[in-house]
Amino acid sequence: MLTIGVDIGGTKVAAGVVDDNGEIVEHTLRPTAADRPDVVAETVADVVRELSAGREIEAVGVGAAGFVDESRSMVRFAPNLAWREEPLQKKISGLVGLPVVIENDANAMAWGETRFGAGRGQSHVVCLTLGTGIGGGLVIDGALYRGRWGMGAELGHMQVLPGGRLCGCGNIGCWEQYASGQALVKDAREIAAAEPDRARVLLGLADGTIEGEEITEAARQGDDASLAAFRSLADWLGQGMADLVAILDPGCFIVGGGVSRAADLFIDRARETFAERLTGRGHRPLAEIRLAELGASAGVVGAADLARQR
């Protein structure tokens, strides 16, 4: 059975035809008109028509970066797209004439990784997407956990530091302000401004603008400021995972997203911090911390499989 998975982000729409084994048969990519909801729906319909040509498609799954309601049909709110109470499922289904399931993009990634990636064989999984912020997805007893209103697992918005940094969600001290790509950049910039001698390599690479790629390269060259920023990210990541264990008791964490491409610079320290901060440490099994395997395809694969199991 073939289904189509679509992953809608702030800048692009990625889509693919996916078979029963989670393999992508064909893939395509389009830019996203983030400020024009109707155009986004039409773009999704266009890629579905393109990928459906000459194939029998059973259904379409769409991963959307926003709050998706409990019926998996409406996007209540999206921080990076102009969706407010957007009836996305109805619009797309009407355009393509196929059953459509809408899911939060991080949930779709978590499902894809659990079914076909790093979480294979696990029934209790916490998936973390480290990008600009932190996306989260939960699989509990082998089922995707969505919460009463469909808006659960917004793990990046746990408050970890009262009175801390202002978050884009409007709250203060959210986890993603300390363990994400934007946190890494903020920390490195602050250190470089206060102690430029610690950031000589970074400042030389950045040429005036410090971003994640320069921080990663500088850290691999031994730059002290960049390494300190990665240490801070690792400690906050490990602490947050330890806190989640106290609530969820998962068997496995999966860490993905763009920041995970630099995992060699932080994942071992995150594992150490996690073990040190764990409630009941020494008297409970230690959840595994694995790196995601499906990369940028996880959301497409997960959305397609959720449509298959609708």
Side-chain angles (χ1 to χ4, degrees), residues 130-134 176 179-186 211-212 215 233 259:
L130 308 185
T132 302
I134 298 178
E176 70 175 39
S180 65
Q182 65 176 324
L184 181 75
V185 171
K186 285 181 181 178
E211 299 293 350
I215 299 165
L233 183 149
V259 178

Side-chain angles (χ1 to χ4, degrees), residues 33-150:
D35 58 342
R36 301 176 64 188
D38 287 338
V39 174
V40 173
E42 290 167 5
T43 300
V44 173
D46 284 344
V47 299
V48 169
R49 294 187 196 104
E50 175 188 329
L51 294 172
S52 299
R55 298 186 176 96
E56 186 174 344
I57 301 298
E58 181 74 16
V60 178
V62 178
F67 289 173
V68 178
D69 73 351
E70 67 272 25
S71 67
R72 297 196 297 177
S73 61
M74 179 178 290
V75 182
R76 295 286 188 189
F77 168 80
N80 298 312
L81 290 153
W83 285 330
R84 301 295 185 271
E85 309 300 329
E86 177 70 10
L88 194 60
Q89 187 270 343
K90 183 177 180 180
K91 283 186 177 181
I92 295 173
S93 182
L95 289 168
V96 301
L98 288 168
V100 174
V101 170
I102 309 296
E103 186 55 80
N104 171 268
D105 60 339
N107 285 352
M109 177 208 167
W111 186 251
E113 285 288 347
T114 301
R115 286 273 289 142
F116 304 107
R120 287 187 302 272
Q122 294 283 335
S123 59
H124 294 74
V125 177
V126 176
C127 191
L128 302 171
T129 308
L130 308 185
T132 302
I134 298 178
L138 304 176
V139 174
I140 298 176
D141 282 334
L144 188 64
Y145 177 80
R146 308 182 69 254
R148 169 61 183 88
W149 309 112

Side-chain angles (χ1 to χ4, degrees), residues 60-298:
V60 178
V62 178
F67 289 173
V68 178
D69 73 351
E70 67 272 25
S71 67
R72 297 196 297 177
S73 61
M74 179 178 290
V75 182
R76 295 286 188 189
F77 168 80
N80 298 312
L81 290 153
W83 285 330
R84 301 295 185 271
E85 309 300 329
E86 177 70 10
L88 194 60
Q89 187 270 343
K90 183 177 180 180
K91 283 186 177 181
I92 295 173
S93 182
L95 289 168
V96 301
L98 288 168
V100 174
V101 170
I102 309 296
E103 186 55 80
N104 171 268
D105 60 339
N107 285 352
M109 177 208 167
W111 186 251
E113 285 288 347
T114 301
R115 286 273 289 142
F116 304 107
R120 287 187 302 272
Q122 294 283 335
S123 59
H124 294 74
V125 177
V126 176
C127 191
L128 302 171
T129 308
L130 308 185
T132 302
I134 298 178
L138 304 176
V139 174
I140 298 176
D141 282 334
L144 188 64
Y145 177 80
R146 308 182 69 254
R148 169 61 183 88
W149 309 112
M151 303 175 193
E154 290 291 338
L155 305 178
H157 297 290
M158 298 188 302
Q159 188 184 59
V160 298
L161 187 62
R165 291 171 174 166
L166 177 65
C167 183
C169 74
N171 286 332
I172 292 174
C174 291
W175 190 25
E176 70 175 39
Q177 293 301 310
Y178 303 94
S180 65
Q182 65 176 324
L184 181 75
V185 171
K186 285 181 181 178
D187 287 338
R189 287 177 177 175
E190 287 175 3
I191 297 170
E195 302 176 75
D197 285 347
R198 296 179 63 191
R200 290 177 180 174
V201 176
L202 176 59
L203 291 170
L205 289 171
D207 192 26
T209 304
I210 294 174
E211 299 293 350
E213 289 184 8
E214 289 83 11
I215 299 165
T216 300
E217 179 58 31
R220 290 187 172 133
Q221 294 185 35
D223 181 77
D224 189 52
S226 301
L227 288 168
F230 272 109
R231 287 195 297 271
S232 177
L233 183 149
D235 288 343
W236 280 108
L237 179 61
Q239 177 66 65
M241 289 190 291
D243 292 342
L244 287 169
V245 163
I247 302 166
L248 298 169
D249 190 30
C252 175
F253 287 91
I254 298 172
V255 178
V259 178
S260 70
R261 291 195 292 269
D264 58 301
L265 295 168
F266 69 85
I267 198 66
D268 287 342
R269 185 180 177 105
R271 289 183 175 120
E272 291 169 4
T273 302
F274 168 73
E276 290 168 0
R277 308 283 174 83
L278 198 61
T279 300
R281 54 191 172 277
H283 301 282
R284 67 186 304 158
L286 199 63
E288 292 185 68
I289 299 174
R290 302 176 180 177
L291 294 176
E293 295 179 0
L294 300 182
S297 299

